[in-house]
Amino acid sequence: MDTDLAARVQESDVVLLDGGEGTSVVVHLHGATALSWKCGGREILFLSKQAVLDSSKAIRGGIPLVFPQFGPWTCGPQHGFARNKRWSVDSQPQMENGTVKCSLALTDDEDTRKVWNYQFKLVYTLELTTSSLSTRLTVHNTGGESFTFTTLMHSYFLTPDISTTSVRGLKGLTYTDKVQDGKDFQEDRDDVTIPENYDRVYQKCPSTVTMDCSSHTVSVNLSNFTDVVVWNPWSEKAKTMSDFGNEEYKTMVCVEAGSVSSPVEIAAGQQLSFQQTLKVHAKL
Ligand code: BG6
């Protein structure tokens, strides 16, 4: 693990997937949050220098998991409770045919049932290869009645410069603009650049969208997710966030694969899986 990151976390709080040759993922058990993904020595994920890593709040960066609610919630905390719970290791990292695989799990408990009275098991599986990282969330309804939820992988990508960064694959899609009173618009650009506070929920997305920056691209392949959220708080909002540096909006963009624009229903005893596969293509 990177020495800077190692100095910020307790060894017992993290799981390391080591693919060798500068390829690794570090996952914090708090929220099953991937903190770092190094691909051939290059860090792909943004983690705020001010992120709180002592399990006392959701982690600002990496890939936090949103479940069972995207956004504000009358029953509990914004973005649900999964990103604020300690997950257990379901299967330790293991290398098989060049892929490192690891699974974490979360089941309902007294705290979750207090805010959301359903029985569930979540299994989060990470698979790391030399150029890709797949993350799959399987939601098991272990109770006796159906429930609905929204869910999302809140990926924070590191970029050398937001002014030369764009998101591709969104042209023609309808998006809900959360910074414009939740009104709907149609995207007419091939390259969606981010010049201000952006908080948009793009709906009915194609299977692949791409984050493009000066040094590399990351393709985000969606399986069973319907939406992509593009978020950057920009300067004014950054100043109001205690766990985010005032200037850090210049080096990050969130491209979040989710099913958030309409709730997903799952019947008693059933399971559903949602997956994103991230692939890096280097330019420099
Ligand atoms: C995004 C939401 O997914 O997450 C934004 O669309 C929100 O509205 C952002 O501000 C960060 O949320 P939080 O709870 O981690 O500060």
Side-chain angles (χ1 to χ4, degrees), residues 66-100:
V66 169
F67 177 89
Q69 168 72 26
F70 168 72
W73 196 21
T74 46
C75 308
Q78 149 120 331
H79 288 341
F81 46 69
R83 65 179 183 161
N84 269 313
K85 296 289 293 179
R86 189 171 181 96
W87 291 52
S88 59
V89 179
D90 212 35
S91 71
Q92 291 288 349
Q94 262 192 345
M95 168 82 90
E96 215 176 286
N97 301 326
T99 300
V100 188

mmCIF file of all heavy atoms in Angstrom, residues 66-100:
data_model
loop_
_atom_site.group_PDB
_atom_site.id
_atom_site.type_symbol
_atom_site.label_atom_id
_atom_site.label_comp_id
_atom_site.label_asym_id
_atom_site.label_seq_id
_atom_site.Cartn_x
_atom_site.Cartn_y
_atom_site.Cartn_z
ATOM 1 N N VAL A 66 -23.874 3.475 -2.063
ATOM 2 C CA VAL A 66 -25.131 4.081 -1.630
ATOM 3 C C VAL A 66 -26.211 2.992 -1.634
ATOM 4 O O VAL A 66 -26.454 2.351 -2.650
ATOM 5 C CB VAL A 66 -25.487 5.239 -2.588
ATOM 6 C CG1 VAL A 66 -26.908 5.722 -2.359
ATOM 7 C CG2 VAL A 66 -24.487 6.389 -2.424
ATOM 8 N N PHE A 67 -26.834 2.776 -0.476
ATOM 9 C CA PHE A 67 -27.922 1.809 -0.328
ATOM 10 C C PHE A 67 -28.559 2.063 1.024
ATOM 11 O O PHE A 67 -27.821 2.272 1.988
ATOM 12 C CB PHE A 67 -27.397 0.364 -0.381
ATOM 13 C CG PHE A 67 -28.470 -0.675 -0.159
ATOM 14 C CD1 PHE A 67 -29.202 -1.196 -1.224
ATOM 15 C CD2 PHE A 67 -28.790 -1.117 1.141
ATOM 16 C CE1 PHE A 67 -30.206 -2.134 -1.006
ATOM 17 C CE2 PHE A 67 -29.802 -2.047 1.354
ATOM 18 C CZ PHE A 67 -30.509 -2.555 0.282
ATOM 19 N N PRO A 68 -29.839 1.983 1.216
ATOM 20 C CA PRO A 68 -30.897 1.704 0.247
ATOM 21 C C PRO A 68 -31.560 2.968 -0.293
ATOM 22 O O PRO A 68 -32.629 2.880 -0.890
ATOM 23 C CB PRO A 68 -31.909 0.913 1.095
ATOM 24 C CG PRO A 68 -31.777 1.510 2.468
ATOM 25 C CD PRO A 68 -30.361 1.999 2.594
ATOM 26 N N GLN A 69 -30.866 4.125 -0.118
ATOM 27 C CA GLN A 69 -31.485 5.375 -0.563
ATOM 28 C C GLN A 69 -30.438 6.312 -1.139
ATOM 29 O O GLN A 69 -29.446 6.608 -0.480
ATOM 30 C CB GLN A 69 -32.172 6.047 0.641
ATOM 31 C CG GLN A 69 -32.620 7.478 0.429
ATOM 32 C CD GLN A 69 -33.827 7.609 -0.504
ATOM 33 O OE1 GLN A 69 -34.631 6.679 -0.622
ATOM 34 N NE2 GLN A 69 -33.939 8.734 -1.178
ATOM 35 N N PHE A 70 -30.676 6.768 -2.349
ATOM 36 C CA PHE A 70 -29.829 7.792 -2.957
ATOM 37 C C PHE A 70 -30.401 9.157 -2.588
ATOM 38 O O PHE A 70 -31.588 9.396 -2.748
ATOM 39 C CB PHE A 70 -29.823 7.622 -4.475
ATOM 40 C CG PHE A 70 -29.213 8.785 -5.217
ATOM 41 C CD1 PHE A 70 -27.844 9.010 -5.195
ATOM 42 C CD2 PHE A 70 -30.018 9.659 -5.940
ATOM 43 C CE1 PHE A 70 -27.283 10.080 -5.875
ATOM 44 C CE2 PHE A 70 -29.466 10.736 -6.631
ATOM 45 C CZ PHE A 70 -28.092 10.938 -6.594
ATOM 46 N N GLY A 71 -29.527 10.044 -2.060
ATOM 47 C CA GLY A 71 -29.963 11.410 -1.733
ATOM 48 C C GLY A 71 -30.585 11.492 -0.354
ATOM 49 O O GLY A 71 -30.458 10.576 0.457
ATOM 50 N N PRO A 72 -31.245 12.624 -0.082
ATOM 51 C CA PRO A 72 -31.842 12.808 1.236
ATOM 52 C C PRO A 72 -32.941 11.772 1.490
ATOM 53 O O PRO A 72 -33.548 11.269 0.551
ATOM 54 C CB PRO A 72 -32.449 14.221 1.174
ATOM 55 C CG PRO A 72 -32.040 14.808 -0.108
ATOM 56 C CD PRO A 72 -31.502 13.740 -0.994
ATOM 57 N N TRP A 73 -33.141 11.489 2.751
ATOM 58 C CA TRP A 73 -34.026 10.393 3.129
ATOM 59 C C TRP A 73 -34.738 10.746 4.421
ATOM 60 O O TRP A 73 -34.076 11.151 5.383
ATOM 61 C CB TRP A 73 -33.129 9.165 3.368
ATOM 62 C CG TRP A 73 -33.789 7.849 3.400
ATOM 63 C CD1 TRP A 73 -34.986 7.502 2.874
ATOM 64 C CD2 TRP A 73 -33.248 6.658 3.993
ATOM 65 N NE1 TRP A 73 -35.226 6.177 3.075
ATOM 66 C CE2 TRP A 73 -34.168 5.630 3.764
ATOM 67 C CE3 TRP A 73 -32.069 6.357 4.673
ATOM 68 C CZ2 TRP A 73 -33.964 4.327 4.205
ATOM 69 C CZ3 TRP A 73 -31.851 5.070 5.101
ATOM 70 C CH2 TRP A 73 -32.786 4.068 4.867
ATOM 71 N N THR A 74 -36.056 10.571 4.452
ATOM 72 C CA THR A 74 -36.779 10.907 5.695
ATOM 73 C C THR A 74 -36.483 9.884 6.792
ATOM 74 O O THR A 74 -36.528 10.207 7.969
ATOM 75 C CB THR A 74 -38.312 10.956 5.449
ATOM 76 O OG1 THR A 74 -38.662 9.802 4.687
ATOM 77 C CG2 THR A 74 -38.737 12.211 4.728
ATOM 78 N N CYS A 75 -36.151 8.642 6.410
ATOM 79 C CA CYS A 75 -35.941 7.582 7.418
ATOM 80 C C CYS A 75 -34.558 7.630 8.073
ATOM 81 O O CYS A 75 -34.383 7.144 9.191
ATOM 82 C CB CYS A 75 -36.059 6.210 6.780
ATOM 83 S SG CYS A 75 -37.538 5.947 5.852
ATOM 84 N N GLY A 76 -33.550 8.141 7.370
ATOM 85 C CA GLY A 76 -32.187 8.026 7.903
ATOM 86 C C GLY A 76 -31.242 8.975 7.182
ATOM 87 O O GLY A 76 -31.669 9.962 6.587
ATOM 88 N N PRO A 77 -29.940 8.659 7.232
ATOM 89 C CA PRO A 77 -28.950 9.593 6.662
ATOM 90 C C PRO A 77 -28.986 9.655 5.138
ATOM 91 O O PRO A 77 -29.385 8.685 4.480
ATOM 92 C CB PRO A 77 -27.621 9.002 7.129
ATOM 93 C CG PRO A 77 -27.886 7.564 7.383
ATOM 94 C CD PRO A 77 -29.324 7.455 7.798
ATOM 95 N N GLN A 78 -28.573 10.811 4.610
ATOM 96 C CA GLN A 78 -28.415 10.991 3.156
ATOM 97 C C GLN A 78 -27.620 9.820 2.584
ATOM 98 O O GLN A 78 -26.633 9.393 3.168
ATOM 99 C CB GLN A 78 -27.680 12.328 2.937
ATOM 100 C CG GLN A 78 -26.788 12.413 1.732
ATOM 101 C CD GLN A 78 -27.195 13.507 0.739
ATOM 102 O OE1 GLN A 78 -28.350 13.861 0.634
ATOM 103 N NE2 GLN A 78 -26.233 14.048 0.031
ATOM 104 N N HIS A 79 -28.058 9.329 1.439
ATOM 105 C CA HIS A 79 -27.406 8.217 0.733
ATOM 106 C C HIS A 79 -27.461 6.880 1.482
ATOM 107 O O HIS A 79 -26.693 5.963 1.208
ATOM 108 C CB HIS A 79 -25.944 8.547 0.393
ATOM 109 C CG HIS A 79 -25.779 9.560 -0.711
ATOM 110 N ND1 HIS A 79 -26.763 9.869 -1.624
ATOM 111 C CD2 HIS A 79 -24.704 10.340 -1.058
ATOM 112 C CE1 HIS A 79 -26.317 10.783 -2.470
ATOM 113 N NE2 HIS A 79 -25.090 11.096 -2.150
ATOM 114 N N GLY A 80 -28.385 6.794 2.466
ATOM 115 C CA GLY A 80 -28.590 5.501 3.141
ATOM 116 C C GLY A 80 -27.516 5.186 4.167
ATOM 117 O O GLY A 80 -26.678 6.025 4.489
ATOM 118 N N PHE A 81 -27.549 3.954 4.667
ATOM 119 C CA PHE A 81 -26.637 3.595 5.765
ATOM 120 C C PHE A 81 -25.455 2.731 5.347
ATOM 121 O O PHE A 81 -24.500 2.582 6.096
ATOM 122 C CB PHE A 81 -27.404 2.885 6.895
ATOM 123 C CG PHE A 81 -28.343 1.801 6.432
ATOM 124 C CD1 PHE A 81 -27.865 0.612 5.886
ATOM 125 C CD2 PHE A 81 -29.724 1.971 6.542
ATOM 126 C CE1 PHE A 81 -28.729 -0.377 5.452
ATOM 127 C CE2 PHE A 81 -30.602 0.975 6.102
ATOM 128 C CZ PHE A 81 -30.095 -0.206 5.559
ATOM 129 N N ALA A 82 -25.487 2.140 4.146
ATOM 130 C CA ALA A 82 -24.450 1.146 3.799
ATOM 131 C C ALA A 82 -23.046 1.745 3.846
ATOM 132 O O ALA A 82 -22.086 1.066 4.220
ATOM 133 C CB ALA A 82 -24.722 0.544 2.427
ATOM 134 N N ARG A 83 -22.915 3.026 3.493
ATOM 135 C CA ARG A 83 -21.575 3.631 3.455
ATOM 136 C C ARG A 83 -21.060 3.983 4.848
ATOM 137 O O ARG A 83 -19.934 4.421 5.010
ATOM 138 C CB ARG A 83 -21.565 4.871 2.551
ATOM 139 C CG ARG A 83 -22.431 6.020 3.033
ATOM 140 C CD ARG A 83 -22.344 7.215 2.100
ATOM 141 N NE ARG A 83 -23.118 8.347 2.573
ATOM 142 C CZ ARG A 83 -22.943 9.590 2.175
ATOM 143 N NH1 ARG A 83 -22.003 9.882 1.296
ATOM 144 N NH2 ARG A 83 -23.685 10.570 2.643
ATOM 145 N N ASN A 84 -21.943 3.828 5.838
ATOM 146 C CA ASN A 84 -21.565 4.142 7.215
ATOM 147 C C ASN A 84 -21.548 2.942 8.131
ATOM 148 O O ASN A 84 -21.473 3.105 9.344
ATOM 149 C CB ASN A 84 -22.541 5.178 7.783
ATOM 150 C CG ASN A 84 -22.036 6.579 7.539
ATOM 151 O OD1 ASN A 84 -20.870 6.862 7.784
ATOM 152 N ND2 ASN A 84 -22.889 7.436 7.028
ATOM 153 N N LYS A 85 -21.642 1.746 7.570
ATOM 154 C CA LYS A 85 -21.623 0.544 8.390
ATOM 155 C C LYS A 85 -20.302 -0.181 8.181
ATOM 156 O O LYS A 85 -19.694 -0.082 7.110
ATOM 157 C CB LYS A 85 -22.757 -0.411 7.968
ATOM 158 C CG LYS A 85 -24.147 0.144 8.183
ATOM 159 C CD LYS A 85 -24.553 0.250 9.631
ATOM 160 C CE LYS A 85 -24.720 -1.093 10.291
ATOM 161 N NZ LYS A 85 -25.102 -0.946 11.722
ATOM 162 N N ARG A 86 -19.894 -0.944 9.189
ATOM 163 C CA ARG A 86 -18.696 -1.766 9.021
ATOM 164 C C ARG A 86 -19.109 -3.080 8.353
ATOM 165 O O ARG A 86 -19.987 -3.791 8.844
ATOM 166 C CB ARG A 86 -18.021 -2.033 10.356
ATOM 167 C CG ARG A 86 -16.663 -2.706 10.170
ATOM 168 C CD ARG A 86 -15.905 -2.760 11.476
ATOM 169 N NE ARG A 86 -14.605 -3.373 11.292
ATOM 170 C CZ ARG A 86 -13.469 -2.714 11.092
ATOM 171 N NH1 ARG A 86 -13.485 -1.401 11.048
ATOM 172 N NH2 ARG A 86 -12.321 -3.350 10.961
ATOM 173 N N TRP A 87 -18.495 -3.365 7.244
ATOM 174 C CA TRP A 87 -18.769 -4.587 6.491
ATOM 175 C C TRP A 87 -17.815 -5.681 6.968
ATOM 176 O O TRP A 87 -16.731 -5.393 7.508
ATOM 177 C CB TRP A 87 -18.581 -4.338 4.992
ATOM 178 C CG TRP A 87 -19.608 -3.427 4.371
ATOM 179 C CD1 TRP A 87 -19.977 -2.179 4.801
ATOM 180 C CD2 TRP A 87 -20.413 -3.700 3.214
ATOM 181 N NE1 TRP A 87 -20.953 -1.654 3.974
ATOM 182 C CE2 TRP A 87 -21.239 -2.571 2.983
ATOM 183 C CE3 TRP A 87 -20.508 -4.783 2.336
ATOM 184 C CZ2 TRP A 87 -22.146 -2.503 1.927
ATOM 185 C CZ3 TRP A 87 -21.409 -4.713 1.273
ATOM 186 C CH2 TRP A 87 -22.225 -3.585 1.082
ATOM 187 N N SER A 88 -18.215 -6.921 6.750
ATOM 188 C CA SER A 88 -17.303 -8.021 7.101
ATOM 189 C C SER A 88 -16.685 -8.584 5.820
ATOM 190 O O SER A 88 -17.215 -8.392 4.723
ATOM 191 C CB SER A 88 -18.064 -9.115 7.854
ATOM 192 O OG SER A 88 -19.097 -9.584 7.032
ATOM 193 N N VAL A 89 -15.591 -9.288 6.012
ATOM 194 C CA VAL A 89 -14.941 -9.893 4.844
ATOM 195 C C VAL A 89 -15.589 -11.248 4.604
ATOM 196 O O VAL A 89 -15.558 -12.121 5.464
ATOM 197 C CB VAL A 89 -13.421 -10.054 5.085
ATOM 198 C CG1 VAL A 89 -12.756 -10.697 3.865
ATOM 199 C CG2 VAL A 89 -12.784 -8.711 5.394
ATOM 200 N N ASP A 90 -16.227 -11.399 3.465
ATOM 201 C CA ASP A 90 -16.919 -12.636 3.122
ATOM 202 C C ASP A 90 -15.928 -13.640 2.530
ATOM 203 O O ASP A 90 -15.961 -14.815 2.839
ATOM 204 C CB ASP A 90 -18.005 -12.301 2.084
ATOM 205 C CG ASP A 90 -19.209 -13.197 2.196
ATOM 206 O OD1 ASP A 90 -19.549 -13.573 3.335
ATOM 207 O OD2 ASP A 90 -19.795 -13.518 1.143
ATOM 208 N N SER A 91 -15.058 -13.136 1.636
ATOM 209 C CA SER A 91 -13.959 -13.991 1.179
ATOM 210 C C SER A 91 -12.715 -13.126 0.979
ATOM 211 O O SER A 91 -12.777 -12.061 0.359
ATOM 212 C CB SER A 91 -14.339 -14.777 -0.085
ATOM 213 O OG SER A 91 -14.413 -13.921 -1.169
ATOM 214 N N GLN A 92 -11.633 -13.566 1.570
ATOM 215 C CA GLN A 92 -10.356 -12.839 1.547
ATOM 216 C C GLN A 92 -9.838 -12.726 0.107
ATOM 217 O O GLN A 92 -10.171 -13.575 -0.721
ATOM 218 C CB GLN A 92 -9.313 -13.590 2.383
ATOM 219 C CG GLN A 92 -9.571 -13.583 3.881
ATOM 220 C CD GLN A 92 -9.310 -12.225 4.532
ATOM 221 O OE1 GLN A 92 -8.732 -11.328 3.903
ATOM 222 N NE2 GLN A 92 -9.740 -12.076 5.777
ATOM 223 N N PRO A 93 -9.027 -11.708 -0.194
ATOM 224 C CA PRO A 93 -8.488 -11.571 -1.548
ATOM 225 C C PRO A 93 -7.744 -12.828 -1.989
ATOM 226 O O PRO A 93 -6.958 -13.388 -1.217
ATOM 227 C CB PRO A 93 -7.511 -10.398 -1.412
ATOM 228 C CG PRO A 93 -7.963 -9.645 -0.225
ATOM 229 C CD PRO A 93 -8.600 -10.628 0.702
ATOM 230 N N GLN A 94 -8.053 -13.245 -3.202
ATOM 231 C CA GLN A 94 -7.402 -14.445 -3.760
ATOM 232 C C GLN A 94 -7.129 -14.218 -5.217
ATOM 233 O O GLN A 94 -7.985 -13.701 -5.935
ATOM 234 C CB GLN A 94 -8.356 -15.627 -3.646
ATOM 235 C CG GLN A 94 -8.061 -16.463 -2.437
ATOM 236 C CD GLN A 94 -8.803 -17.789 -2.481
ATOM 237 O OE1 GLN A 94 -9.725 -17.943 -3.261
ATOM 238 N NE2 GLN A 94 -8.377 -18.716 -1.652
ATOM 239 N N MET A 95 -5.959 -14.610 -5.638
ATOM 240 C CA MET A 95 -5.583 -14.453 -7.053
ATOM 241 C C MET A 95 -5.930 -15.740 -7.801
ATOM 242 O O MET A 95 -5.576 -16.826 -7.362
ATOM 243 C CB MET A 95 -4.079 -14.173 -7.115
ATOM 244 C CG MET A 95 -3.463 -14.272 -8.472
ATOM 245 S SD MET A 95 -3.668 -12.800 -9.469
ATOM 246 C CE MET A 95 -2.217 -11.848 -9.042
ATOM 247 N N GLU A 96 -6.686 -15.589 -8.873
ATOM 248 C CA GLU A 96 -7.005 -16.756 -9.703
ATOM 249 C C GLU A 96 -6.931 -16.349 -11.170
ATOM 250 O O GLU A 96 -7.607 -15.381 -11.570
ATOM 251 C CB GLU A 96 -8.425 -17.215 -9.389
ATOM 252 C CG GLU A 96 -8.607 -18.715 -9.464
ATOM 253 C CD GLU A 96 -10.016 -19.097 -9.048
ATOM 254 O OE1 GLU A 96 -10.306 -19.037 -7.834
ATOM 255 O OE2 GLU A 96 -10.810 -19.390 -9.948
ATOM 256 N N ASN A 97 -6.150 -17.016 -11.949
ATOM 257 C CA ASN A 97 -5.979 -16.721 -13.384
ATOM 258 C C ASN A 97 -5.736 -15.237 -13.651
ATOM 259 O O ASN A 97 -6.375 -14.638 -14.523
ATOM 260 C CB ASN A 97 -7.212 -17.153 -14.185
ATOM 261 C CG ASN A 97 -7.479 -18.629 -14.032
ATOM 262 O OD1 ASN A 97 -6.531 -19.405 -13.920
ATOM 263 N ND2 ASN A 97 -8.741 -19.003 -13.998
ATOM 264 N N GLY A 98 -4.881 -14.611 -12.850
ATOM 265 C CA GLY A 98 -4.531 -13.212 -13.077
ATOM 266 C C GLY A 98 -5.538 -12.211 -12.551
ATOM 267 O O GLY A 98 -5.366 -10.998 -12.725
ATOM 268 N N THR A 99 -6.607 -12.673 -11.892
ATOM 269 C CA THR A 99 -7.608 -11.758 -11.326
ATOM 270 C C THR A 99 -7.610 -11.905 -9.808
ATOM 271 O O THR A 99 -7.654 -13.024 -9.298
ATOM 272 C CB THR A 99 -9.020 -12.101 -11.868
ATOM 273 O OG1 THR A 99 -8.993 -11.958 -13.281
ATOM 274 C CG2 THR A 99 -10.082 -11.186 -11.294
ATOM 275 N N VAL A 100 -7.545 -10.756 -9.112
ATOM 276 C CA VAL A 100 -7.653 -10.810 -7.647
ATOM 277 C C VAL A 100 -9.104 -10.530 -7.287
ATOM 278 O O VAL A 100 -9.684 -9.536 -7.726
ATOM 279 C CB VAL A 100 -6.750 -9.773 -6.950
ATOM 280 C CG1 VAL A 100 -6.752 -10.004 -5.441
ATOM 281 C CG2 VAL A 100 -5.340 -9.809 -7.484
#
